[in-house]
Amino acid sequence: MIKIGAVALLLVAGSASAQSHLDRAMQSKTLVVCTTGDYKPYTYLRTDGSYEGIDISLVQSLAKSLGAEVKWVPTTWKTLTPDFIGKQCDVALGGVSVTLKRQQTAWFAEPLDTDGKIPLVRCADKKKYRSVEQMNKPSVRLIEPAGGTNEAFVHAYLPQANLTLFHDNVTIFQQLVDKKADVMITDASEALYQQKRYPSLCAINPEKPLQYGEKAWMLPRDDISWKMYVDQWLHLSKATGEYQQIVAQWLAVKS
């Protein structure tokens, strides 16, 4: 029969044997990062194979603090969680929304910012698609990328609308411009960024989203040492102004 003290020692030994992602990153000098590369202004995969965006610049700063280089692991919104777990990423990022579903299998770092779902529409139609009641109709053509929280919102709140799932989250906005779709539900941050790139598109009520949301990085579950380090790094990044400078560089872009 095993005594309580022996059980406690076994538990401690078991915990010690599970190496933190913090130690692994410092020892290997590699930070393994999952990202979709299709969600400006957070993450975007250039044609030359390199990444850019708010979260990209931030995680490169995190890697530098560890004396590490980033190893990018491509993923999609549909496969984000299984890829994050199966490919043993240290972080998953790129405009990731905090959800209870994701929280069941991963932890989140402290939120980067608050956000929320809003309609992105042609400016000529901005009075037509302001509320759930106006959009939840078979005559309204919705378009969303497959597998993310935008699609989940539409299924939950706009089940009567005519939904098309689009294969490319980079060129999807042109579908609105070309009048092949009427509305895209997305995060206010993305809508505000894209309306600068497409003058004919308007973000509807970004200050009053239809659904509250937060952006944060996914972290491996039950690794408290790694979470504490990432949270402290983020706190210092905001306190020193580095975070604000990176965000301003992207949200000020007009093209």
Side-chain angles (χ1 to χ4, degrees):
M1 185 174 181
I2 300 177
K3 295 182 180 180
I4 294 176
V7 172
L9 288 174
L10 287 172
L11 290 173
V12 170
S15 298
S17 65
Q19 186 183 41
S20 170
H21 285 251
L22 173 61
D23 298 319
R24 191 176 75 175
M26 289 191 296
Q27 291 171 10
S28 67
K29 299 190 182 301
T30 301
L31 187 66
V32 184
V33 178
C34 282
T35 191
T36 63
D38 66 351
Y39 189 11
K40 289 184 177 182
Y42 299 102
T43 174
Y44 181 66
L45 178 60
R46 299 188 188 113
T47 55
D48 65 1
S50 62
Y51 288 87
E52 64 179 8
I54 293 172
D55 281 9
I56 301 304
S57 295
L58 287 171
V59 82
Q60 287 170 334
S61 174
L62 172 63
K64 183 178 179 181
S65 76
L66 296 164
E69 297 290 332
V70 176
K71 176 184 177 182
W72 304 108
V73 176
T75 186
T76 68
W77 291 109
K78 196 170 184 177
T79 63
L80 177 63
T81 298
D83 283 347
F84 174 64
I85 297 170
K87 297 179 180 180
Q88 297 187 318
C89 291
D90 300 311
V91 182
L93 52 75
V96 177
S97 296
V98 176
T99 69
L100 290 177
K101 181 67 174 177
R102 288 170 175 160
Q103 186 81 46
Q104 291 170 9
T105 53
W107 277 0
F108 282 98
E110 286 296 308
L112 296 163
D113 206 348
T114 58
D115 211 338
K117 302 300 182 187
I118 67 168
L120 179 65
V121 306
R122 288 181 295 279
C123 295
D125 295 334
K126 61 184 180 181
K127 292 184 179 180
K128 293 173 60 177
Y129 305 119
R130 304 183 71 84
S131 68
V132 168
E133 291 74 21
Q134 288 176 308
M135 293 182 288
N136 192 27
K137 300 175 182 178
S139 59
V140 178
R141 299 172 300 165
L142 294 176
I143 190 165
E144 304 294 342
T149 55
N150 295 344
E151 181 188 353
F153 178 93
V154 168
H155 287 310
Y157 298 101
L158 304 172
Q160 301 302 316
N162 182 3
L163 173 62
T164 295
L165 296 179
F166 199 68
H167 66 282
D168 185 354
N169 198 39
V170 176
T171 63
I172 191 171
F173 309 98
Q174 192 64 43
Q175 298 292 303
L176 294 172
V177 174
D178 294 341
K179 299 184 179 181
K180 295 179 180 179
D182 302 314
V183 179
M184 178 182 175
I185 298 295
T186 189
D187 296 309
S189 55
E190 180 177 46
L192 289 169
Y193 179 80
Q194 294 298 341
Q195 75 173 4
K196 293 179 180 179
R197 302 182 69 242
Y198 297 92
S200 65
L201 299 183
C202 284
I204 306 300
N205 291 332
E207 71 286 352
K208 295 180 180 179
L210 300 172
Q211 182 187 62
Y212 174 80
E214 294 177 337
K215 297 294 185 191
W217 292 357
M218 287 172 60
L219 304 175
R221 196 174 73 172
D222 302 328
D223 189 342
I224 188 63
S225 296
W226 181 226
K227 175 172 166 53
M228 290 180 67
Y229 186 88
V230 175
D231 286 346
Q232 180 66 0
W233 165 83
L234 178 59
H235 165 71
L236 292 174
S237 179
K238 289 184 175 182
T240 60
E242 180 187 26
Y243 172 85
Q244 294 85 346
Q245 290 174 2
I246 290 173
V247 171
Q249 288 171 4
W250 279 92
L251 294 185
V253 170
K254 294 183 180 180
S255 61

